[in-house]
Amino acid sequence: MTRTPAGTPPHPKGADRFNEDKAAYTVRGSQPDLQAGLAAIREVQRTLPPRPGVYRMVDARGDVLYVGKARALKNRVANYLQVDRLPMRLKRMVAQTREMTIVTTNSEAEALLLEAQLIKRFRPPYNVLLRDDKSFPFILLRADNDFPRIMKHRGARRAKGNYYGPFASAGSVNTTINALQKLFLLRSCTDSFFSRRDRPCLLYQIKRCSAPCVGRIDKDGYGELVRQAKDFLAGKSSAVQQEIEVQMAEAAEKLDFETAAMLRDRLRAATFIQGSQAINAQGVGDADVFAMAEKGGQIGVQAFFIRGGQNWGHRAFFPRHTEELSHEEVFSAFLAQFYEEVPPARTILLDRELPDCVLLEEAFTAIAERKVEISVPQRGDRRRLIEQASRNAAEALDRRLAESGTQAKIWREMAEFLELPDIPQRVEVYDNSHIQGTNAVGAMVVAGPEGLLKNQYRKFNIKTAQTNDDFAMMREVLNRRFARALKDDPDRETSGKGDAAWPDLVLLDGGKGQMSSVMDTLEELGIEDVPVVGVAKGPHHGRDGREVFHFPDGREKTLPTNSPVLFHLQRLRDEVHRFAIGAHRAKRSRSIQASPLDEIPGIGPARKRALLLHFGTAGKVRAAALKDLLRVPGVSEHVARQIYDFYHPGG
């Protein structure tokens, strides 16, 4: 099944069905009629076989209300006819049902997997929904080149190579890749960029690449680095460290101190990766850890991802539509939907027993094509992992409940609309301002969840793009901004400010052209993990209040004109407009007031004023003889000679 870049399955009604308000409208849309619903269900139930399968409840408009699975379809559907035993939630569903769609399967495990797929596709309003189900990032070591590339990967795993993950967030992937580049010096550039190089790029200069593009390392040497990287990602980090330590000692004995220093830096990178592991998971191997918390009618699930004994991050999930369901039912539905997209680990650790644990094991084993074990640890290191996950689940739920303010909600919705892995902590917005290419200025404003960060605004006096070319201007601004970021904090190890800080989102005032220019610039710098979105006026040039949001893959999205997220993004765009125009006006004003005398070294405001009072215009100063310059009050022989030589370099 194909997926969008955001990780959600396609659907005939796409955005409408993904919007939860629309799903709620579906519930309200049909006229409830309990007897009509019972009649429709009874008609289908008569012909059902006692076989496993999946059923869909459909309302009068053809929208799916509920997707369910069954070991025996005939018996399961018959339960809906016993109205007195149904909770109020299911009574409402039956009253809106007008038809059913049935699919039989070979086993209940197949039915479970199909149910998860259909829930993700149709987003039924009566099913538990995993709303935080954006695709998870992986690390990919491609195998389609003599010099494999290390990169972040999302979506279908079609490219040939080794995949490592999932990671909980793009941030955890980026941090790991940056450290791995420093540790193993693997290239991260695209094949086209790799093939065009005739000299090493900036990453080689900052010791994050071995420059195989220009022959600074041969195929065998690079292959050895790739082997070490695979061992490290597979959990053999101690063996890799020992190997590097031996190589460092050998280099030191040979007095090859440059090589020894390089190996020392690689060891430090390995220590950084291991030091960033917030969880001690030694001996656990590959495992996914889940714990659930409930408070105030909301449910939170915390997930830890352990691979090769290393912590690859954690993420909190908050399933929807959990009313009138037991915790075990919600947990089972969550796991089924979660692993519809993510490959299961060999071991899944839970904080509680589930009634359908055996069925889930069978289904996940089929997905992974190897044995998957689900267990509830009672003691030892695994139990401590569960306890830590439980604490994190409770704390994450508390934070979720506390973030009920309007601003926090807007930022969450903005992150979802722009398909970001998490709420951005730093958003940078770019624009430029000029008049036919003159006095061109680029502007950057910065915002975070707490508001605008005005002390981190930046303006750029555009130097190279002197023509009326917005695209070239945007290229220069972004090139200068991110080249400085690479220089000041190439490993992104600090939460720096200003030029040392890395944004979680870049917003451009512009459409496809600006987007293309910026993406080319970032690719040339070797940066591929910074989300970029262009904001352009709609088909009526913004008169109707609409904006079109452009994504790097060519997609375009819009928001309703009354959307709070749209207003928020428009305010950010208007703020960068204001800052860019203000900077341009200030530069233009200085240009108007500027005098050719300003270019003469050593001539300050007082002497400039004296010269203009004596000669009247700057042109007459330029044409004056040396003896005439000596008559100006306050101008010495040395200064007069300096002025004369400036305009008459030939004497």
Side-chain angles (χ1 to χ4, degrees), residues 167-226:
F167 286 80
S169 65
S172 58
V173 168
N174 296 337
T175 299
T176 304
I177 287 181
N178 289 333
L180 288 173
Q181 283 182 276
K182 195 171 182 179
L183 175 56
F184 299 111
L185 308 178
L186 301 181
R187 74 177 184 95
S188 60
C189 56
T190 62
D191 290 345
S192 59
F193 184 76
F194 177 83
S195 61
R196 295 197 305 264
R197 299 301 300 180
D198 55 9
R199 59 188 178 87
C201 67
L202 180 63
L203 291 179
Y204 175 77
Q205 305 296 335
I206 62 176
K207 299 180 181 180
R208 283 178 54 190
C209 181
S210 53
C213 53
V214 292
R216 297 297 173 93
I217 187 173
D218 60 18
K219 181 179 177 181
D220 292 339
Y222 193 86
E224 181 64 17
L225 295 177
V226 171

Side-chain angles (χ1 to χ4, degrees), residues 202 430 460 464 472-486 517-518 520-527:
L202 180 63
Y430 292 87
F460 303 81
T464 58
M473 293 179 186
M474 193 66 79
R475 283 178 62 93
E476 178 183 337
V477 170
L478 271 293
N479 183 74
R480 288 165 59 185
R481 162 69 181 101
F482 284 97
R484 182 63 180 269
L486 281 171
S517 297
V518 168
D520 289 345
T521 300
L522 294 180
E523 180 181 349
E524 290 173 4
L525 292 172
I527 300 170

Side-chain angles (χ1 to χ4, degrees), residues 208-267:
R208 283 178 54 190
C209 181
S210 53
C213 53
V214 292
R216 297 297 173 93
I217 187 173
D218 60 18
K219 181 179 177 181
D220 292 339
Y222 193 86
E224 181 64 17
L225 295 177
V226 171
R227 180 194 64 78
Q228 290 182 344
K230 290 179 179 179
D231 288 346
F232 190 91
L233 289 168
K236 302 176 183 178
S237 56
S238 298
V240 172
Q241 284 183 280
Q242 291 175 3
E243 189 175 340
I244 297 175
E245 286 176 358
V246 170
Q247 293 173 352
M248 183 176 66
E250 291 175 352
E253 288 179 3
K254 296 176 182 178
L255 304 183
D256 187 356
F257 298 117
E258 183 176 352
T259 301
M262 181 194 69
L263 293 168
R264 178 204 60 201
D265 292 341
R266 291 178 59 191
L267 273 177

Side-chain angles (χ1 to χ4, degrees), residues 69 71 108-109 112 115 327-336 350 352-364 374:
K69 64 167 174 49
R71 181 184 304 168
E108 190 178 2
L112 176 67
E115 177 195 36
H327 292 174
E328 288 73 17
E329 290 177 296
V330 174
F331 213 165
S332 295
F334 164 81
L335 291 172
L350 307 179
R352 67 196 68 206
E353 295 283 354
L354 298 180
D356 52 357
C357 180
V358 175
L359 176 62
L360 290 170
E361 279 186 341
E362 182 181 349
F364 298 156
I374 299 177

Side-chain angles (χ1 to χ4, degrees), residues 443-460:
M444 175 188 84
V445 305
V446 183
E450 297 80 18
L452 297 171
L453 308 176
K454 294 192 176 183
N455 63 335
Q456 299 189 39
Y457 285 19
R458 294 290 183 270
K459 58 184 177 183
F460 303 81

